[in-house]
Amino acid sequence: MTTGSRARVGLVGAGWWSGRTHLPALSANPDAELVVICDPDAERAQAAAAMFDVPHSVTTIEQLLDHDLDCVLVATPHDTHHRPAAAALDAGVDVMVEKPMTLDPGQAWDLVRRARESGARLHVGYPFPHSPHAAAVRELIARGDIGEPVMVTGLFATSVATLYRGNVDLVAEQDRFAPRASTYAERAHGGGQLHTQMTHAASLVLWTTGLRPREVSAYAQDGGLDVDLSDALAVSMEGGAIATLATTGSVYDHNLRLEEYRIFGSEGHVLLDTARGTLWVLRRGHEPVEHPTLSEHDAQPSDATSAALVAAALGKGPVLVPGEIGAMTVDLLNAAQESARIGGPISARPAASAVVGSGG
Ligand SMILES: NC(=O)c1ccc[n+]([C@@H]2O[C@H](COP(=O)([O-])OP(=O)(O)OC[C@H]3O[C@@H](n4cnc5c(N)ncnc54)[C@H](O)[C@@H]3O)[C@@H](O)[C@H]2O)c1
């Protein structure tokens, strides 16, 4: 455990996202001591450790947990998050699980339960809530500035279709590590737009508004792939608010992506754009307020997630995105997937057996 002022960190999964974001961010974080990297592919683990001056590389979670850690970051393919996260939480070690927290709602709520039982902190690796605009929206809605939320619409349209085709060569040309083709291109591993991208939009809506999904009707479109390329969700919330959430990975250029949220309340509305870094707040009886435009980094501060894990472990910061938000998002997306499959509405409430509290 912490001996000095730095948190001892273990990283699980030496893949694309770790190499592009977590390893550079943790290496540059003066509060973090990167101790060990785990990947079943020993060569990947060793290569990442050598590249970022990390003293140990291992191939199992048990070996990783032998290193007396304060926190563990899990950045493995979607369908493999539960096991390493559960083992670390049971050992009383703080965990940040990458998005989507899990594919299965039971596994997601199981992690929430394990964290509560062991007292370890559980974060989910969504970057958008770490932006100042998302924080402002959350605060003003909690204060009642726009009244009761009545309707939300979100559009998350990004340029990731190439991953769903299993074409990782383009990524390999730009980044230190390329993802495994199976991570995003195979339905069996939770590939596709719903779990890869819609998870960002859905979680941000839940996190900013405090709304809780009741039921969802969804359609999915696969564009001839093994996984979904586009999804459209109509969601009814507890308390009566409604939402539409739409997503596609079909945008042909990253710079042309659209990430827009319109949140309407009884007394005003909010226009948030995390791709352009803009935020407008329009309130009955007030002049419209345009918040200062954010840089691309500040609108999506990807390096902030590992920083939050480290800060919380040192008692210097909160769990900004708790496991409950991740698990509610898994509930919603799992229900949406089922709705699209059967062609009818599905309850998006946590399964009765899974309810462990109202969550943050
Ligand atoms: N927060 C974000 O904005 C963001 C962005 C990109 C990716 N991600 C998430 O990060 C995670 C990893 O994505 P990626 O693109 O790096 O994937 P990737 O295909 O590069 O795989 C990650 C690595 O995990 C390893 N691995 C597989 N099973 C493992 C296990 N059981 N234990 C340890 N390591 C294991 C693989 O060998 C691989 O090296 C995914 O859940 C993804 O959704 C998040």
Side-chain angles (χ1 to χ4, degrees):
M1 297 287 167
T2 318
T3 45
S5 56
R6 293 198 297 167
R8 290 171 61 81
V9 185
L11 177 71
V12 188
W16 172 44
W17 194 237
S18 290
R20 182 189 169 100
T21 300
H22 295 314
L23 283 165
L26 287 166
S27 302
N29 185 342
D31 286 336
E33 181 185 354
L34 252 172
V35 177
V36 54
I37 297 179
C38 169
D39 199 295
D41 181 334
E43 271 181 36
R44 273 193 172 221
Q46 282 159 13
M51 200 176 289
F52 290 93
D53 265 339
V54 180
H56 304 283
S57 64
V58 297
T59 55
T60 69
I61 182 68
E62 291 75 21
Q63 292 165 337
L64 177 122
L65 290 171
D66 276 344
H67 284 271
D68 202 17
L69 302 171
D70 295 298
C71 47
V72 166
L73 200 164
V74 178
T76 61
H78 304 165
D79 56 332
T80 63
H81 291 171
H82 179 264
R83 204 177 97 71
L89 291 170
D90 288 351
V93 176
D94 288 5
V95 170
M96 198 200 84
V97 190
E98 261 306 340
K99 47 61 50 173
M101 184 174 174
T102 60
L103 300 176
D104 170 55
Q107 286 190 345
W109 288 109
D110 177 69
L111 293 181
V112 172
R113 181 184 59 76
R114 285 174 196 256
R116 290 193 179 164
E117 284 179 6
S118 74
R121 300 174 187 85
L122 176 57
H123 308 245
V124 187
Y126 293 113
F128 293 104
H130 295 269
S131 92
H133 281 177
V137 171
R138 187 186 214 210
E139 276 165 32
L140 74 89
I141 290 176
R143 266 200 313 267
D145 285 5
I146 62 164
E148 283 298 310
V150 293
M151 206 283 277
V152 180
T153 174
L155 172 64
F156 203 85
T158 51
S159 63
V160 292
T162 184
L163 292 177
Y164 306 149
R165 292 188 197 101
N167 181 1
V168 294
D169 297 347
L170 213 66
V171 183
E173 282 168 23
Q174 293 167 0
D175 287 327
R176 295 175 171 94
F177 298 94
R180 295 191 184 286
S182 57
T183 301
Y184 298 105
E186 292 182 13
R187 184 185 292 253
H189 294 291
Q193 186 72 4
L194 197 70
H195 293 301
T196 303
Q197 299 279 264
M198 175 64 102
T199 185
H200 285 295
S203 59
L204 189 62
V205 166
L206 302 185
W207 189 85
T208 51
T209 63
L211 292 171
R212 299 295 171 249
R214 190 178 68 79
E215 190 175 89
V216 57
S217 286
Y219 291 93
Q221 191 267 359
D222 65 15
L225 304 167
D226 183 43
V227 295
D228 56 306
L229 176 64
S230 310
D231 304 272
L233 277 58
V235 187
S236 68
M237 303 286 183
E238 303 290 357
I242 55 175
T244 63
L245 299 172
T247 190
T248 180
S250 66
V251 177
Y252 65 85
D253 182 326
H254 176 69
N255 294 318
L256 301 178
R257 70 196 185 281
L258 298 169
E259 302 168 2
E260 299 173 350
Y261 304 85
R262 290 157 197 192
I263 304 171
F264 297 87
S266 50
E267 301 300 321
H269 58 277
V270 163
L271 309 176
L272 171 67
D273 185 329
T274 60
R276 310 280 165 264
T278 59
L279 171 62
W280 281 89
V281 180
L282 302 108
R283 300 169 61 196
R284 190 195 304 276
H286 296 261
E287 287 296 314
V289 174
E290 181 181 14
H291 286 239
T293 300
L294 299 178
S295 66
E296 187 172 356
H297 171 270
D298 289 352
Q300 184 184 354
S302 298
D303 52 357
T305 60
S306 66
L309 172 70
V310 168
L314 293 174
K316 292 180 173 179
V319 178
L320 192 72
V321 188
E324 286 86 347
I325 286 288
M328 278 186 271
T329 306
V330 176
D331 280 330
L332 175 58
L333 299 192
N334 193 266
Q337 204 163 28
E338 183 61 5
S339 167
R341 193 182 68 79
I342 67 159
I346 291 282
S347 169
R349 291 181 164 125
S353 60
V355 179
V356 288
S358 59

